């Protein structure tokens, strides 16, 4: 069995064949967690998961690039989005996200965190941009603590700011975190810091784009989970999108790097995911 702990079958890329693909994945023992990035996709992830007894789960959250404060926002091809969907939200509706998080299929809060890739160039705007993301992140931490759910954290070009927040919050709550640092691309020091804070480390197809071999070698097997981040990071030049079954390609590469048996890797990372998301 394999567990794709970070999928986006709730995205428009899968609207035409979503159900068929999920059934094929489940038949081959590929489980998945569909991750929300705003209210629309969070609700969609729940709706999808409700159609299956097991093997398909959901998380809810407002991704930092989907927070539209007027300072900047990610450049997205609007034609790719469902016409009913508003990709961007001007504020985080805590009570609405809390309400949908109570569904039994919701096993995490995310995808949330910090993303400084698309940022203002003017210094005063940059400060406001970063502050808004930090405040949004803190609200998600509060929600996860209130509902006793793990976090799924996205971080791009912002590891030090993210770690500073997490260390302060650890001091406030006096306990380790539960969650995943999704699509990890940090350095060895940051890796050790996240693990010390209690996090699991998520690896996906980005390992074929960046040199993360040393990080993979140093990540303890009991702190590792697998991802695809589908439809992103296609594992073949012949594919236009990824899907949860492609998690095996990531697993094969990691097993080779860590010089361990593929079966051992798949069993341990699946066990890690099931424990983390309380699915045992």
């Amino acid at each position: 069995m394999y567990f794709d702990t970070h999928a986006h079958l709730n995205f428009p890329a899968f609207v035409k064949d979503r159900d068929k693909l999920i059934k094929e994945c489940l038949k081959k023992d590929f489980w998945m967690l569909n991750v929300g990035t705003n209210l629309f996709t969070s609700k969609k992830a729940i709706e999808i998961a409700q159609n299956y007894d097991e093997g398909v789960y959901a998380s809810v959250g407002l991704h930092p690039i989907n927070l539209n404060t007027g300072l900047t926002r990610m450049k997205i091809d609007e034609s790719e989005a469902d016409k009913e969907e508003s990709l961007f939200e001007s504020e985080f509706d805590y009570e609405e996200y809390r309400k949908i998080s109570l569904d039994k299929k919701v096993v995490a809060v995310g995808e949330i965190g910090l993303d400084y890739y698309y940022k203002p160039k003017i210094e005063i705007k940059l400060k406001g941009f970063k502050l808004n993301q930090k405040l949004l992140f803190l609200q998600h931490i509060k929600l996860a603590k209130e509902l006793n759910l793990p976090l799924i954290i996205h971080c791009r070009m912002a590891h030090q700011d993210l770690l500073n927040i997490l260390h302060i919050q650890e001091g406030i709550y006096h306990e380790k975190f539960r969650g995943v640092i999704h699509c990890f691309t940090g350095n060895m020091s940051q890796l050790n810091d996240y693990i010390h804070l209690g996090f699991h480390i998520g690896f996906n197809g980005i390992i074929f784009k960046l040199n993360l071999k040393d990080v993979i070698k140093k990540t303890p097997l009991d702190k590792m989970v697998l991802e695809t981040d589908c439809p992103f990071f296609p594992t073949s030049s012949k594919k236009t999108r990824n899907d949860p079954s492609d998690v095996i390609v990531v697993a094969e590469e990691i097993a080779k790097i860590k010089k361990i048996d593929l079966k051992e890797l798949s069993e341990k990372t699946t066990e890690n995911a099931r424990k983390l998301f309380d699915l045992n």
Side-chain angles (χ1 to χ4, degrees):
M1 177 189 288
Y2 289 88
F3 199 137
D4 180 2
T5 62
H6 198 109
H8 293 295
L9 275 79
N10 47 334
F11 279 18
F14 298 101
V15 69
K16 292 182 179 179
D17 61 348
R18 181 182 291 128
D19 293 337
K20 178 184 176 183
L21 181 57
I22 292 174
K23 288 175 182 176
E24 289 174 351
C25 285
L26 294 178
K27 188 176 181 180
K28 296 176 183 178
D29 266 348
F30 289 97
W31 283 21
M32 68 201 72
L33 169 52
N34 288 313
V35 178
T37 53
N38 57 13
L39 204 51
F40 182 91
T41 57
S42 295
K43 289 179 178 179
K44 192 68 178 178
I46 296 170
E47 177 188 322
I48 294 166
Q50 288 172 339
N51 292 326
Y52 302 90
D53 292 333
E54 67 173 6
V56 185
Y57 305 94
S59 74
V60 305
L62 178 58
H63 193 294
I65 64 173
N66 289 96
L67 176 67
N68 181 15
T69 61
L71 295 174
T72 188
R73 69 188 208 180
M74 183 178 179
K75 298 174 183 177
I76 293 178
D77 181 1
E78 300 278 358
S79 65
E80 290 297 314
D82 285 352
K83 300 305 179 184
E84 300 173 5
E85 176 188 0
S86 175
L87 290 172
F88 303 99
E89 294 168 24
S90 60
E91 60 182 17
F92 180 64
D93 188 337
Y94 187 95
E95 288 306 318
E96 184 63 19
Y97 276 93
R98 182 186 182 281
K99 177 183 175 182
I100 65 173
S101 296
L102 297 175
D103 189 280
K104 65 180 181 179
K105 280 291 188 173
V106 174
V107 298
V109 171
E111 175 179 1
I112 48 95
L114 302 178
D115 191 319
Y116 294 169
Y117 187 78
Y118 297 97
K119 60 182 183 292
K121 295 181 179 179
I122 300 173
E123 186 62 28
I124 190 168
K125 288 188 176 181
L126 180 61
K127 288 181 179 179
F129 165 80
K130 290 183 177 181
L131 177 60
N132 286 328
Q133 285 200 10
K134 291 174 184 177
L135 292 174
L136 175 65
F137 183 44
L138 287 171
Q139 290 182 81
H140 281 99
I141 292 177
K142 178 184 176 183
L143 179 63
K145 290 293 183 181
E146 180 182 349
L147 300 180
N148 192 30
L149 290 172
L151 295 161
I152 297 176
I153 295 180
H154 166 100
C155 186
R156 182 163 56 164
M157 300 179 71
H159 283 291
Q160 197 52 58
D161 277 3
L162 187 74
L163 283 164
N164 289 342
I165 292 172
L166 292 172
H167 280 295
I168 292 171
Q169 292 300 301
E170 182 191 34
I172 291 172
Y173 288 102
H174 303 291
E175 60 184 44
K176 297 290 184 183
F177 283 95
R178 291 170 56 222
V180 181
I181 305 300
H182 151 65
C183 191
F184 183 74
T185 58
N187 59 37
M188 206 70 69
S189 174
Q190 292 159 349
L191 171 73
N192 292 332
D193 219 351
Y194 286 125
I195 290 174
H196 174 75
L197 285 163
F199 286 99
H200 285 67
I201 308 299
F203 292 105
N204 56 37
I206 205 167
I207 67 174
F208 298 105
K209 298 178 179 294
L210 303 178
N211 184 3
L212 296 168
K213 289 184 178 179
D214 287 342
V215 166
I216 290 170
K217 288 177 183 177
K218 295 292 184 181
T219 302
L221 191 54
D222 64 352
K223 282 294 185 180
M224 181 180 288
V225 293
L226 304 177
E227 310 173 337
T228 62
D229 203 15
C230 66
F232 311 110
F233 302 121
T235 53
S236 167
S237 59
K238 297 178 181 180
K239 302 182 72 171
T240 58
R241 65 178 189 185
N242 226 3
D243 69 66
S245 67
D246 289 303
V247 76
I248 193 172
V249 182
V250 177
E252 288 170 343
E253 180 68 11
I254 291 175
K256 183 170 68 174
I257 293 170
K258 293 185 80 67
K259 296 181 179 180
I260 61 175
D261 183 71
L262 180 61
K263 186 173 185 291
E264 178 186 359
L265 179 73
S266 66
E267 288 178 350
K268 188 58 182 175
T269 53
T270 297
E271 177 188 344
N272 294 343
R274 291 179 65 126
K275 285 183 178 179
L276 176 62
F277 299 117
D278 198 20
L279 300 175
N280 291 317

